[in-house]
Amino acid sequence: MKSESRIFNLVAAFLFVVAAIYGIWTKNTSEGTDWVGTTAVVLSGGLCFLCGAYFAFVARRIEPRPEDRADAEIDEGAGELGFFSPGSYWPFGLAAAAALGGLGIVFWAPWLIIMGAVAVLIGVGGLLFEYYVGN
């Protein structure tokens, strides 16, 4: 987790520097400082810092992985990495439900928004409980 933390924190530092440069650079234009773009870059940096801080917090609580140690060998990372679903149709249904809700928002059709929200809830429930139901 230390390597992920370093990556996110470096990207966050880069974005904060870019936000300062962007704010100063746009200040000299005829319209003045572009506050929307500057705020977007600052918030992006904040989000990256939040992820990096979380990974640093988790890295202190678990033992170092082979990716985090300089003396690790390649074969130490071998083995089971976790359980991955071999085939599931729920992600497709969830994406279709989100698209349905998005269309409802685009055309501002309340009945379509409600239908999409219900479909998203069903899709999330199906994806979440896929392996907790019987055959």
Side-chain angles (χ1 to χ4, degrees), residues 35-110:
W35 291 110
V36 175
T38 306
T39 304
V41 179
V42 167
L43 290 176
S44 298
L47 185 61
C48 285
F49 176 73
L50 186 72
C51 294
Y54 171 75
F55 284 136
F57 178 75
V58 170
R60 282 186 280 148
R61 296 185 176 268
I62 63 173
E63 62 184 59
R65 300 176 305 163
E67 295 90 5
D68 298 329
R69 294 190 347 251
D71 62 336
E73 296 292 328
I74 293 175
D75 61 347
E76 290 182 50
E80 185 175 328
L81 297 176
F83 175 74
F84 300 99
S85 180
S88 174
Y89 293 108
W90 285 108
F92 176 75
L94 191 57
L100 184 69
L103 282 175
I105 291 172
V106 166
F107 293 116
W108 200 250

